[in-house]
Amino acid sequence: MMADSTWTEDEYVDYLQRERRLFVWTLQSYGEFSPIDAEREANKFYEYEPPSAEVRGLVFHDEAWHWAMFTIHGEGYWRSQPDLEQPSQEYINQA
């Protein structure tokens, strides 16, 4: 989902929480992050942006799977681990 200036505040917050949840799940499932560390990373990465933010929600241009894999394996993870380029079925089931 791309940033959308027509979001209501509730829609934005719901989507932000959903992406945080998926990010946490992926960090724990694939990166062996502790629950506390995964939550901390999610809150840091998916910071709340006020409605006045110029590019509010831009982080949503890629899904939590990508950002979590980037956090775990680094830039270009899809080249060194092509099996991780697409979200796993388990991840999809979490969504």
Side-chain angles (χ1 to χ4, degrees):
M1 173 181 280
M2 286 294 292
D4 184 345
S5 62
T6 64
W7 288 339
T8 66
E9 183 65 9
D10 287 343
E11 289 170 331
Y12 171 78
V13 170
D14 287 348
Y15 199 78
L16 181 65
Q17 290 173 341
R18 176 187 178 272
E19 291 300 287
R20 283 178 180 166
R21 180 179 53 79
L22 290 168
F23 189 81
V24 165
W25 181 87
T26 307
L27 290 181
Q28 289 182 271
S29 297
Y30 288 84
E32 300 178 8
F33 279 63
S34 72
I36 291 171
D37 289 341
E39 285 285 337
R40 184 180 308 117
E41 287 296 316
N43 289 327
K44 186 170 47 174
F45 187 81
Y46 286 100
E47 287 186 73
Y48 171 83
E49 299 172 294
S52 61
E54 190 173 324
V55 290
R56 186 182 201 200
L58 182 61
V59 70
F60 300 148
H61 82 276
D62 270 323
E63 61 190 315
W65 173 268
H66 166 73
W67 296 122
M69 288 300 161
F70 186 87
T71 299
I72 296 165
H73 299 291
E75 189 172 337
Y77 71 86
W78 56 91
R79 287 189 295 273
S80 62
Q81 299 188 44
D83 57 314
L84 298 176
E85 183 175 3
Q86 298 299 319
S88 69
Q89 188 59 52
E90 266 187 309
Y91 173 91
I92 293 167
N93 293 343
Q94 297 297 314

